[in-house]
Amino acid sequence: MRNVNIDDIENFPNWRVGMSLAADWSWGFSIVVGMSKMYAEGFLPAIAWIVGNCLAIPLTAFIRRHVPSSKNWGNYIPMLLLFTFLAFLTININMKGLMVALTGGHEKFATYVFVSKETATWLIVAFASITIFYVKFGGLRFLMITDIGAYIGQITAIIAMAITAFVTNDGTMNNIVLSKGVDWKMIALFNFSGIIIGSLTHAHHHQKLSAIKEERMIPTGMWACAWFAIYMFFVMIVAFYFNDNLYLGIMFLILMISLAVSSIDSGVSGLNFISEKIGFSEKNSKIAGMFMAMCIIIGWPFYGKSGTLSAIWDLLAAVRTPVVLIFLTSSILMLFLKKLGIVSKSKSLQTLKMLPLE
């Protein structure tokens, strides 16, 4: 029997890898946040957030391709901690998205109530636990298959939601203004820049881009941008006509399951990548990642209801921007110094070597 590297995705075409990255990036809360931003902040800040989401992966690919030292960011503790925080939140926020779909509870809009919160909690834990095992034994190659199915499910559900929302709302648009508040431009800038910086700290993005040849990174990122833009266009349409009814509730649940599958497994796979960077062997990194993911998922019923997630999210948002900017600025500076012959290649990232992981 021929041995196959379960993390080898080089033989998949750019459009397939791009679709997989787009599916990973379509978090279960993407529709919730996108619609909430339209209702709470206005159309323009929400559009800035959507555009930032679409450009995040190709910009990450561009940096990986043209700033070579960026591929080593995961070797340094400050960035590794950000990778870990985001993998943790990827799993938890998508579990929260499933909770909204099953129980109908969100402060900005209402969906259909299918089960109680107690029942939903354990259904979600069981659902998320399944992803751990197929990531462990199937690797990136299996994720290429599940992500295609997830993306097709996402697009089918969101188009059906857009049509149903329009019909059931009698074609009447919800009251969405261009902007709320005099500081909408700053909100829009924060939404745009924050999401792009978030992509640079997404371990799974680095993991998948590392698994293909460098010359394929930008074309693959552009495919991811296109696939994600199609999805977000229909999210915007749904926001204009969304209302509370059974049919939309069923479609919203199908959409949330599709989103959660591709996003939770990206968080689990990201933990494998993080484990490798810590120093585990390829085999043991999957075991370590599996263990960390199981602890996160089993612990979710206990800390998911508290303000813990919000506190971690706020901490991540406050810390990641200066850390990423320091790494990015230093990497670009060193790149220019190398071209001028002032700094050798071997010393190109020494200024960032804060408690290095050897």
Side-chain angles (χ1 to χ4, degrees):
M1 183 177 178
R2 183 167 60 91
N3 291 326
V4 177
N5 180 358
I6 61 174
D7 290 324
D8 180 11
I9 59 173
E10 184 57 44
N11 62 326
F12 289 93
N14 293 341
W15 71 266
R16 281 284 302 272
V17 183
M19 183 177 286
S20 178
L21 283 164
D24 297 333
W25 194 228
S26 304
W27 285 19
F29 243 40
S30 59
I31 183 171
V32 177
V33 173
M35 291 169 61
S36 297
K37 283 184 175 294
M38 280 197 175
Y39 301 145
E41 299 174 2
F43 180 73
L44 294 177
I47 285 295
W49 181 81
I50 290 171
V51 171
N53 264 291
C54 294
L55 295 178
I57 298 176
L59 285 175
T60 299
F62 180 86
I63 291 170
R64 287 275 309 195
R65 177 72 176 91
H66 292 291
V67 185
S69 58
S70 63
K71 68 180 182 292
N72 298 318
W73 285 359
N75 295 335
Y76 301 88
I77 286 179
M79 190 64 78
L80 193 63
L81 289 174
L82 293 182
F83 284 0
T84 306
F85 272 137
L86 194 59
F88 171 85
L89 287 169
T90 299
I91 296 170
N92 279 279
I93 289 176
N94 283 284
M95 292 174 75
K96 176 65 174 176
L98 284 172
M99 177 64 79
V100 171
L102 286 168
T103 63
H106 190 265
E107 61 269 21
K108 300 300 180 184
F109 61 90
T111 58
Y112 198 82
V113 178
F114 290 98
V115 295
S116 67
K117 288 187 176 181
E118 289 73 19
T119 301
T121 296
W122 298 110
L123 286 174
I124 293 166
V125 168
F127 173 86
S129 298
I130 294 172
T131 66
I132 296 176
F133 295 97
Y134 72 70
V135 170
K136 165 69 169 63
F137 296 105
L140 293 181
R141 293 182 66 85
F142 193 78
L143 294 190
M144 294 297 297
I145 298 171
T146 58
D147 286 345
I148 287 287
Y151 184 81
I152 292 172
Q154 293 168 22
I155 290 297
T156 302
I158 197 67
I159 292 175
M161 282 185 71
I163 296 170
T164 304
F166 179 83
V167 172
T168 56
N169 219 34
D170 299 322
T172 303
M173 292 180 63
N174 295 324
N175 184 26
I176 299 175
V177 298
L178 283 178
S179 64
K180 292 185 177 181
V182 295
D183 59 344
W184 72 267
K185 292 181 181 178
M186 289 303 299
I187 295 174
L189 178 61
F190 177 80
N191 288 342
F192 179 83
S193 60
I195 203 70
I196 291 174
I197 288 174
S199 176
L200 288 169
T201 58
H202 199 311
H204 193 58
H205 286 176
H206 290 273
Q207 182 183 30
K208 269 190 180 151
L209 290 172
S210 297
I212 60 176
K213 292 179 180 177
E214 288 188 354
E215 59 267 26
R216 295 182 56 195
M217 289 181 180
I218 294 176
T220 296
M222 294 306 297
W223 272 110
C225 176
W227 293 124
F228 193 83
I230 294 170
Y231 163 71
M232 290 308 298
F233 171 77
F234 287 102
V235 169
M236 184 174 62
I237 299 300
V238 170
F240 281 118
Y241 299 101
F242 193 82
N243 57 90
D244 177 16
N245 69 74
L246 174 61
Y247 302 109
L248 272 178
I250 292 172
M251 294 172 196
F252 186 75
L253 178 59
I254 294 171
L255 173 64
M256 230 16 122
I257 291 172
S258 299
L259 293 169
V261 166
S262 59
S263 299
I264 292 175
D265 64 24
S266 74
V268 174
S269 185
L271 290 171
N272 294 345
F273 180 76
I274 291 165
S275 298
E276 282 188 31
K277 293 297 182 180
I278 290 174
F280 287 97
S281 66
E282 183 178 348
K283 179 180 178 181
N284 290 337
S285 68
K286 287 182 167 51
I287 296 173
M290 183 178 180
F291 176 77
M292 287 191 289
M294 186 62 75
C295 290
I296 291 170
I297 291 169
I298 292 177
W300 179 74
F302 304 101
Y303 58 74
K305 298 177 183 178
S306 67
T308 304
L309 289 181
S310 296
I312 293 175
W313 181 263
D314 290 342
L315 175 63
L316 178 65
V319 171
R320 71 182 179 186
T321 299
V323 171
V324 169
L325 289 178
I326 289 171
F327 270 75
L328 184 58
T329 302
S330 299
S331 296
I332 293 173
L333 176 61
M334 291 301 168
L335 181 64
F336 280 110
L337 292 177
K338 278 195 300 178
K339 288 185 176 181
L340 294 173
I342 298 174
V343 177
S344 66
K345 183 176 180 180
S346 62
K347 296 182 179 180
S348 61
L349 205 57
Q350 289 300 315
T351 56
L352 295 180
K353 208 157 191 178
M354 302 161 62
L355 299 176
L357 293 167
E358 300 294 350

